[in-house]
Amino acid sequence: LPGTPPDALRVLMDEVRAGVTVQRPWNMRLRTPDFLWNPLQQWIEDPDFDIEYHVRRTALPSPGDERELGTLVSRLHGHAVDFHRPPWEVHLIEGLEGRRYALYVKVHHSLVDGFSAMKILANALSTDPDERDRPLFFSIPPPERTRRDVGDGMHFPEMMALVREQYGASKTAFRALREVLTGHHDALVTPRQAPKCVLNARISRSRRFATQALETARMRAVAKACGGTLNDVILALSAGSIRRYLLEQDALPDEPLIAMVPVAVRAKDDEGGGNAVGAILASLATDIDDAGERVAEIVASTREAKHQLQGMSKAAILQYSAMLLAPSLAQMIPTTAGHVKPTFNVVISNVPGPETPLYFRGARLDAAYPMSIPVHGQALNITCNSYAGMMCFGFTGCRDTVPHLQRLAVYCGE
């Protein structure tokens, strides 16, 4: 931003230290952080909240380039959040070339899903480049929610209606899962279909992060030309990149890799918060050399998977997704990761983001790249979000299991 003083982040950090109001859920921690599996686990306000632990100022060796920024956030991403405190951090990173700075925000998935994160991003920034007093996101009060009139509690008929709803959802989910497992539809991917792959090994604590940005309009044009959706094009770009990457390592399985694709189950007017995500399994057709044929196979696979969800309630989709992915728990155990047949090979998700340029105290947001979660048995995660006419890809992986991960981002662009 022209006219911005070189010590803008020092001023912002001094403002934080001087005292800011931290709103829910950013001041909440777990009641029993040493017993995470407590079935009665609760969120409580942290009585010893320390803002300087959660907000930190960092600098790149000036002028820092995009690669150095990626190296820094990769290192920051390898450290787990502390459950004895509210599970989030913000790093104000200065020294980026072109008089720019970056914000790296790490939030545990128990607080927000991708949909909620994009809501928070849009709410934390402004569409007005002249606004100069925007607080940081954790100081912005959450939107007012419509309170239900609960009266004197839930009555027996209401409770039974909820029980019937869940029972009906379970029957629907079981019926849909049976169709998958019995192979009624050729294009429908089953949990037993994913091949063993080097991407499904045990991981270390080290991370690598790479980015790519492509024009959303061009991707939509491709989607229209191949009779698919924007998500299909994202899968196809990811599939082509992974295929080329694994071929170089002589590690491409003969069978097509399988992607787990998160599916939002929220209403359009949902205010966000927490997690509400279903899932489908889709073929990436990485066994096919021709790009056009590969796209056609991906479109057919996702269309069949989404057809399974049609007519299901939100509760049924969540139950179906949980049962569909239940076998993947075995591949996430450290001792079995890489030794058992995976349920899926990679997670690829797309979260719609703001389509108008956003600003923070006059500085324009250039790009918003999502960093996601590798786990044992899932060494690579590809997450995208749209912003101001661009699709921002974030490739997050285990530094040791997925060496030279930045090549995936290069191949995606090419």
Side-chain angles (χ1 to χ4, degrees), residues 222-398:
V222 173
K224 183 177 180 181
C226 68
T229 65
L230 181 61
N231 280 338
D232 293 328
V233 177
I234 290 171
L235 292 178
L237 286 166
S238 302
S241 306
I242 293 172
R243 173 183 163 84
R244 182 174 170 185
Y245 174 83
L246 292 178
L247 278 172
E248 288 181 346
Q249 299 189 48
D250 194 25
L252 180 69
D254 294 332
E255 301 85 6
L257 296 182
I258 302 302
M260 189 274 272
V261 184
V263 177
V265 294
R266 297 178 184 271
K268 289 186 177 181
D269 58 350
D270 194 302
E271 296 168 343
N275 286 267
V277 182
I280 60 173
L281 297 177
S283 170
L284 292 179
T286 47
D287 58 323
I288 298 175
D289 179 55
D290 182 82
E293 293 178 13
R294 193 182 314 125
V295 173
E297 189 73 17
I298 290 171
V299 170
S301 180
T302 59
R303 182 177 293 140
E304 195 65 47
K306 287 182 285 189
H307 179 73
Q308 281 288 100
L309 304 184
Q310 287 181 358
M312 284 194 196
S313 66
K314 175 180 175 180
I317 291 175
L318 293 176
Q319 291 191 37
Y320 167 77
S321 302
M323 290 186 287
L324 185 70
L325 303 182
S328 66
L329 293 176
Q331 73 190 73
M332 298 179 187
I333 300 172
T335 54
T336 59
H339 300 291
V340 299
K341 188 174 172 64
T343 306
F344 51 88
N345 302 108
V346 62
V347 178
I348 304 176
S349 59
N350 170 33
V351 183
E355 287 303 329
T356 56
L358 298 175
Y359 301 83
F360 180 72
R361 301 190 178 187
R364 187 186 190 276
L365 177 66
D366 285 338
Y369 294 107
M371 297 184 72
S372 199
I373 316 163
V375 296
H376 289 303
Q378 290 294 317
L380 173 66
N381 182 294
I382 303 174
T383 302
C384 311
N385 59 245
S386 54
Y387 167 66
M390 301 297 290
M391 184 63 68
C392 303
F393 285 73
F395 298 84
T396 313
C398 169

Side-chain angles (χ1 to χ4, degrees), residues 18-258:
V20 292
T21 301
V22 179
Q23 303 285 344
R24 290 191 175 200
W26 311 111
N27 62 349
M28 310 289 287
R29 69 166 177 83
L30 294 176
R31 181 181 292 277
T32 58
D34 295 314
F35 184 24
L36 296 179
W37 296 101
N38 180 1
L40 302 178
Q41 186 68 269
Q42 290 180 303
W43 291 101
I44 61 170
E45 287 195 17
D46 185 356
D48 303 312
F49 186 85
D50 179 5
I51 189 64
E52 290 191 57
Y53 175 86
H54 296 276
V55 184
R56 310 173 192 181
R57 180 169 164 242
T58 309
L60 294 168
S62 183
D65 58 20
E66 300 279 349
R67 187 179 182 90
E68 289 170 323
L69 177 62
T71 301
L72 172 60
V73 297
S74 296
R75 190 177 303 122
L76 295 173
H77 207 58
H79 298 285
V81 293
D82 183 358
F83 279 113
H84 292 82
R85 304 172 185 269
W88 62 274
E89 300 171 10
V90 175
H91 295 259
L92 312 175
I93 304 171
E94 58 187 65
L96 196 57
E97 61 186 357
R99 295 178 58 82
R100 296 179 298 160
Y101 61 87
L103 269 67
Y104 165 72
V105 182
K106 175 159 59 179
V107 184
H108 195 270
H109 218 311
S110 57
L111 278 184
V112 297
D113 58 14
F115 178 92
S116 298
M118 286 296 101
K119 285 279 189 179
I120 292 167
L121 173 68
N123 193 40
L125 304 180
S126 173
T127 56
D128 181 5
D130 296 322
E131 183 179 332
R132 294 293 189 274
D133 57 356
R134 195 77 167 185
L136 286 164
F137 69 90
F138 50 80
S139 293
I140 299 175
E144 289 289 333
R145 295 181 181 271
T146 304
R147 295 184 64 87
R148 291 185 304 149
D149 183 12
V150 296
D152 55 353
M154 182 176 289
H155 296 286
F156 183 75
E158 295 170 311
M159 183 176 67
M160 291 307 297
L162 286 175
V163 171
R164 284 194 298 271
E165 179 187 2
Q166 290 298 321
Y167 177 68
S170 297
K171 288 204 303 182
T172 302
F174 272 115
R175 190 161 51 246
L177 185 65
R178 187 172 61 247
E179 286 189 12
V180 173
L181 297 178
T182 54
H184 283 353
H185 307 282
D186 292 339
L188 200 57
V189 173
T190 76
R192 299 188 293 262
Q193 197 168 322
K196 281 192 174 183
C197 179
V198 294
L199 299 179
N200 305 117
R202 182 172 177 171
I203 65 172
S204 68
R205 286 186 174 273
S206 299
R207 297 288 174 265
R208 176 80 78 179
F209 180 62
T211 62
Q212 182 59 265
L214 304 173
E215 291 184 13
T216 307
R218 183 179 180 188
M219 293 174 64
R220 290 190 186 280
V222 173
K224 183 177 180 181
C226 68
T229 65
L230 181 61
N231 280 338
D232 293 328
V233 177
I234 290 171
L235 292 178
L237 286 166
S238 302
S241 306
I242 293 172
R243 173 183 163 84
R244 182 174 170 185
Y245 174 83
L246 292 178
L247 278 172
E248 288 181 346
Q249 299 189 48
D250 194 25
L252 180 69
D254 294 332
E255 301 85 6
L257 296 182
I258 302 302

